[in-house]
Amino acid sequence: MDMALGWVSGKGDRIFASDILLLLEVQNNNLFEFQSIFEKGERVTNKLGLWYSRVMSDSALIKPFTSEQALNDLQAAGAVDEKNMAGIVQSREAFPDVIFGTYPNKKLKAQPDIFFGSCGLVVSRAVADVLHEAELGKTRLYPLSVCQHDRVTLVGGEYYLLALGEQKAAFVPERSNRVVPFGNVPDTWIKRGRKPEDFDFVVRDIALEGVDLWVDPRLRRSLFLSDRLVKSLRAAKVTRRFGLSKCEVVPT
């Protein structure tokens, strides 16, 4: 049984699972299960685990691509991008079929496994293959031609637009580190600084259920992943640019 348990004391100190778990052998099937030692404090269940990805706030992943939609109506294209990053479902017609290099004299190479085009997040075939096996709910993967400035010559590789369509409101800002209120927008927070450390972000255990990839409406430009999805991405060796950090999971 792949389960980890931990506690947060009444003073807010984190007590790690390695300090407080007893491992018991289950004789019939050679599996193991954990028996916790209950002390004063609030129980925290990490279960399969949850992960935060900082891809939406990583400026190094913004690549010099544009699209016909962006050239014809930049404001409308920006609105599509904002909705996509918020995990709001949109029709296929809202997104481009082709993106191409912004600058005529710049030859573009094959792109990383995940990056920002002119329409939101774009993923490689290797990442898409993993995502196709995951529980995505209303999130969709649309084939996308990624071209040089001439709009015809492909940069190399096969890519998909990641049209996000799932939200889970589970983020706990008052118990998280490295976040600040997002301007005057009610009940909305934003990451401060670089990649969070493990357990900087706290989410409620309701996020353990349902889809494997989602946005939290309380944390702007957020992307969260289930542990099973992270394990699959790691097995495919495509997590390097995801900027992953593990979340602390607390009871609802």
Side-chain angles (χ1 to χ4, degrees):
M1 181 180 297
D2 185 9
M3 180 178 287
L5 298 176
W7 284 256
V8 175
S9 72
K11 296 181 179 180
D13 297 320
R14 184 178 294 115
I15 305 170
F16 289 100
S18 59
D19 298 325
I20 55 179
L21 294 181
L22 294 176
L23 187 64
L24 300 179
E25 182 175 359
V26 179
Q27 296 179 354
N28 291 336
N29 55 12
N30 294 324
L31 293 175
F32 294 91
E33 85 179 29
F34 291 113
Q35 179 178 2
S36 58
I37 302 173
F38 287 91
E39 297 179 337
K40 292 182 179 180
E42 181 182 358
R43 183 179 177 187
V44 175
T45 305
N46 282 330
K47 202 175 180 181
L48 295 176
L50 296 175
W51 298 80
Y52 166 83
S53 169
R54 72 181 187 104
V55 290
M56 289 195 187
S57 59
D58 187 351
S59 60
L61 295 180
I62 300 174
K63 303 301 180 180
F65 289 98
T66 188
S67 65
E68 289 289 353
Q69 286 92 327
L71 293 177
N72 293 333
D73 191 337
L74 184 60
Q75 185 175 359
V80 170
D81 190 34
E82 281 294 316
K83 288 181 179 179
N84 193 24
M85 289 190 290
I88 297 173
V89 176
Q90 300 177 85
S91 68
R92 174 66 181 96
E93 291 72 27
F95 301 99
D97 297 315
V98 179
I99 61 174
F100 47 88
T102 304
Y103 307 110
N105 298 322
K106 182 177 179 62
K107 184 175 181 179
L108 298 165
K109 301 178 180 179
Q111 298 299 301
D113 285 308
I114 188 166
F115 66 96
F116 270 104
S118 70
C119 50
L121 289 173
V122 179
V123 299
S124 67
R125 172 65 182 271
V127 172
D129 285 346
V130 175
L131 293 178
H132 277 133
E133 299 300 318
E135 178 55 59
L136 295 182
K138 296 177 182 178
T139 291
R140 297 289 183 264
L141 289 160
Y142 297 130
L144 182 70
S145 296
V146 180
C147 299
Q148 304 289 349
H149 180 74
D150 64 8
R151 311 183 190 191
V152 177
T153 307
L154 297 174
V155 301
E158 189 175 344
Y159 301 95
Y160 293 78
L161 186 148
L162 183 60
L164 296 165
E166 291 288 343
Q167 297 180 338
K168 295 182 188 181
F171 181 61
V172 188
E174 63 271 17
R175 296 179 61 171
S176 299
N177 299 319
R178 298 176 185 261
V179 294
V180 294
F182 180 62
N184 295 322
V185 182
D187 199 30
T188 305
W189 301 70
I190 191 167
K191 180 184 73 67
R192 175 172 54 85
R194 295 184 176 274
K195 174 187 171 185
E197 301 294 332
D198 283 346
F199 307 114
D200 268 345
F201 287 176
V202 178
V203 297
R204 300 205 180 277
D205 58 5
I206 56 172
L208 291 167
E209 304 299 328
V211 296
D212 292 316
L213 184 71
W214 67 96
V215 174
D216 195 301
R218 300 189 75 192
L219 183 61
R220 184 171 169 80
R221 294 181 178 269
S222 62
L223 189 66
F224 290 90
L225 300 82
S226 70
D227 192 60
R228 57 184 170 267
L229 176 54
V230 169
K231 286 179 178 177
S232 297
L233 291 168
R234 282 179 169 168
K237 299 181 179 179
V238 292
T239 57
R240 188 172 72 88
R241 303 306 295 269
F242 274 76
L244 295 169
S245 56
K246 197 163 190 179
C247 299
E248 181 177 331
V249 183
V250 299
T252 300

